[in-house]
Amino acid sequence: MKTELKFFSKLHVRISLTFLLFSLSIILLLSGSIYHFTSDMLIKNDIVRTRTMVNQTGEYISSYLKKLGDFSNIIAEHKDIKSALAKSSPEALESISSLIHLAKEVDKNISAVAVISKNGFAITGDSDMSITLSEDMMDEEWYKKALASNRMPMLSKTGHSAFASDKGAWTISVYREITGQNNEHLGVVLIDISYNFIEDYIKNLDLGKSGYVYIMSETGDIIYHPNEDIFNDTKKSEELKSLMDGDITDGKVVYEGIINNSSWKLFGVASSDNLKILQKNLTKNILILSCILIILSLFIGIIASKILSEPITRLKIAMIDMDKKWTHIKISTDITEVSELEYEYNRLIDRIKALTENITKEEKARRVFELKMLQSQINPHFLYNTLDTILWLSELNENEAVIKVTSALGKLLRFSLSTDLDFVSIKDEIEHVKNYLEIQKIRYEDMLVYEIDSIDNLKDAFIPKLIIQPIVENAIYHGLRPNGGGKINISFESFDNDIIIIVSDNGKGFDTAKLKEDSRSDNKIYLGGIGIKNVDHRIKLLCGDNYGISIKSAPGMGTKVIIKLREKSS
């Protein structure tokens, strides 16, 4: 989690994400606007396209009906036909049979053409044509309807006689009255067209998968519908009658078209299948384009963020290098903020350097003072006991011993109180220890035995002053004296530029775990009047944190103090 947070806290990542979010917002806004605008345009275009197709289909049907009307006019105005009907002579009508046969051959949709006189004489081009005839045709219902049709086409589901349940037998009939010179009624021209001719004109009308076309007369009669059951479904027929242009039924839009040369209206009921497909393709294309733009925005954002954050990155690297060198940084950039940051940072470096130098001087002075104070500490008990020893030696007239102790004490005090040096030769430090041990040996006599190894290979080495004597003092007071006496051994080792001094005794010993507990509770274990912490601290001040004192001891097993020092040549 921390690694992820650290990654997102980087400047170039934040710039990239900000640019991506901004681009994403723009892309989403544009995509939504484009979809809304284009979808509205598609809807409007679909409405215009569908309305145009419905109107064109109505025009095609109207044009065909006009052609049939013109043909019926040619027959009705034919002088031979008028003459034959006026004479009521069936034989005379035979003269127009060639014209009727020619019409059927030219137009395959014409199923029958007939001329019927008012007296019941008729000639047809189809021997199977079923027409009810009588001497007075005005008594026939279909004949009267034909005269009343006013030359408008009519749906005939009965074939002018018996009812036909087969839709394929239905016809569209066009009637034309034939009149004489004095406008007297002579008969009618009847042209039957196959009912399926309507489907020939509407089959290419694309109204969607569930769309359909129906035709209705001005009186509300359904002329055409792809579902035959509608003709017998009164409820559904009434619903269709109530529909107008622009209405919506079952999620479909109604388009109304006029069929001229008839009393019909054509209604297209269009489903939204095509529109949905277009909208789906539009959505798909917008999504693909949006994804491409998002990827492109991400790529541009990464490049832009790298360019913008590059001066900051160089500034960071320069600052890291500066931590090692403490020098001014120089960043070549035309970004004002980075240049100002560079200037202020360099000023800060100057102030830090000045402050560091002051702190260093103060710390050095403090360390010198601290070292002098540590070095000047002398165990008052040791001094009192030594003077007491001189006193009783004088009382015993041990003049040589008095001289020896007094001389050793003088040298010891002279060495301890000389605070001008932090490092002394190892030879002088051993001499100081010997003076101390001689005083103690005279005092304790045979209870104290000591041995100091040769220092020939270290005679030119310098070590911190007053390091060994406090350890030896601690060995006598806390190791040998409680045990009734013993031996102290001082040995030396050298590794590269390090010196190891080992002060060991065969005294009482102690539990080193107790030493750690006393250290945590700030109870000092004293090494000859100078706390062990102070001695160790002084070594670290002069030699470094890798140097100091370590102790190995166990109850009854004696103690070994290991002093690790940095050698300093003269």
Side-chain angles (χ1 to χ4, degrees), residues 275-315:
L275 182 61
K276 287 180 179 178
I277 292 174
L278 292 175
Q279 289 177 328
K280 182 178 180 181
N281 291 334
L282 174 64
T283 303
K284 180 181 177 181
N285 292 333
I286 288 178
L287 286 175
I288 293 174
L289 179 60
S290 297
C291 290
I292 293 174
L293 291 176
I294 289 172
I295 294 173
L296 184 62
S297 298
L298 180 61
F299 180 72
I300 294 174
I302 291 174
I303 294 177
S305 67
K306 288 290 186 181
I307 295 174
L308 293 174
S309 63
E310 191 269 338
I312 301 296
T313 303
R314 287 193 285 118
L315 180 62

Side-chain angles (χ1 to χ4, degrees), residues 76-315:
E77 297 297 329
H78 198 287
K79 63 181 181 177
D80 291 339
I81 293 177
K82 285 187 176 184
S83 176
L85 290 178
K87 295 178 182 179
S88 299
S89 171
E91 292 79 7
L93 293 176
E94 294 292 340
S95 63
I96 65 166
S97 61
S98 59
L99 180 63
I100 294 173
H101 287 294
L102 176 62
K104 289 189 64 176
E105 290 178 2
V106 172
D107 190 344
K108 300 298 181 182
N109 287 321
I110 297 177
S111 59
V113 179
V115 176
I116 301 103
S117 71
K118 62 182 180 179
N119 298 322
F121 298 113
I123 181 170
T124 70
D126 186 356
S127 59
D128 295 331
M129 187 175 182
S130 176
I131 304 177
T132 303
L133 301 174
S134 65
E135 292 182 356
D136 188 357
M137 293 300 297
M138 297 302 293
D139 293 335
E140 299 299 328
E141 191 66 28
W142 72 268
Y143 193 83
K144 289 188 287 185
K145 286 183 178 180
L147 292 176
S149 67
N150 195 24
R151 303 183 185 181
M152 294 299 173
M154 298 175 57
L155 171 63
S156 175
K157 296 186 285 185
T158 59
H160 313 289
S161 58
F163 175 75
S165 59
D166 182 12
K167 184 178 178 181
W170 296 358
T171 61
I172 300 295
S173 299
V174 176
Y175 301 95
R176 170 71 162 81
E177 183 183 9
I178 303 174
T179 58
Q181 292 181 353
N182 298 320
N183 204 30
E184 71 275 18
H185 173 68
L186 299 177
V188 295
V189 177
L190 167 64
I191 302 176
D192 282 346
I193 317 157
S194 172
Y195 184 74
N196 294 330
F197 96 93
I198 297 176
E199 294 181 349
D200 292 339
Y201 282 98
I202 67 172
K203 63 183 179 182
N204 294 324
L205 184 58
D206 184 11
L207 297 176
K209 188 179 294 184
S210 58
Y212 59 91
V213 172
Y214 69 94
I215 299 175
M216 184 174 288
S217 68
E218 290 180 347
T219 58
D221 296 327
I222 297 177
I223 303 301
Y224 171 81
H225 196 286
N227 184 3
E228 298 177 30
D229 296 334
I230 296 296
F231 291 93
N232 300 319
D233 190 336
T234 305
K235 181 179 179 181
K236 187 64 178 176
S237 296
E238 291 299 323
E239 290 179 1
L240 292 176
K241 290 178 185 179
S242 64
L243 294 178
M244 299 177 63
D245 185 65
D247 288 348
I248 297 177
T249 175
D250 298 329
K252 303 179 184 69
V253 182
V254 177
Y255 297 88
E256 181 180 335
I258 302 298
I259 301 178
N260 295 318
N261 303 306
S262 72
S263 59
W264 299 345
K265 290 184 179 180
L266 182 144
F267 293 88
V269 182
S271 67
S272 57
D273 297 332
N274 294 334
L275 182 61
K276 287 180 179 178
I277 292 174
L278 292 175
Q279 289 177 328
K280 182 178 180 181
N281 291 334
L282 174 64
T283 303
K284 180 181 177 181
N285 292 333
I286 288 178
L287 286 175
I288 293 174
L289 179 60
S290 297
C291 290
I292 293 174
L293 291 176
I294 289 172
I295 294 173
L296 184 62
S297 298
L298 180 61
F299 180 72
I300 294 174
I302 291 174
I303 294 177
S305 67
K306 288 290 186 181
I307 295 174
L308 293 174
S309 63
E310 191 269 338
I312 301 296
T313 303
R314 287 193 285 118
L315 180 62

Side-chain angles (χ1 to χ4, degrees), residues 442-461:
I442 292 173
R443 181 181 175 193
Y444 292 107
E445 298 180 346
D446 295 336
M447 290 176 59
L448 174 62
V449 178
Y450 69 88
E451 181 180 351
I452 300 175
D453 289 354
S454 172
I455 59 169
D456 290 341
N457 58 332
L458 297 172
K459 61 183 179 179
D460 295 328

Side-chain angles (χ1 to χ4, degrees), residues 471 475 487-491 502-507 558-561:
I471 307 300
K487 181 180 180 180
I488 294 176
N489 184 75
I490 302 174
S491 59
I502 302 171
V503 179
S504 58
D505 66 72
N506 59 355
T559 300
K560 179 185 290 186
V561 179

Side-chain angles (χ1 to χ4, degrees), residues 427-479:
K427 178 182 177 182
D428 291 341
E429 180 71 10
I430 294 301
E431 186 65 28
H432 174 71
V433 173
K434 287 181 179 179
N435 288 329
Y436 174 78
L437 286 171
E438 285 299 323
I439 293 173
Q440 295 289 38
K441 187 170 178 58
I442 292 173
R443 181 181 175 193
Y444 292 107
E445 298 180 346
D446 295 336
M447 290 176 59
L448 174 62
V449 178
Y450 69 88
E451 181 180 351
I452 300 175
D453 289 354
S454 172
I455 59 169
D456 290 341
N457 58 332
L458 297 172
K459 61 183 179 179
D460 295 328
F462 279 70
I463 62 173
K465 181 182 177 182
L466 292 175
I467 292 299
I468 304 175
Q469 182 268 327
I471 307 300
V472 171
E473 185 175 353
N474 182 75
I476 294 173
Y477 283 104
H478 299 286

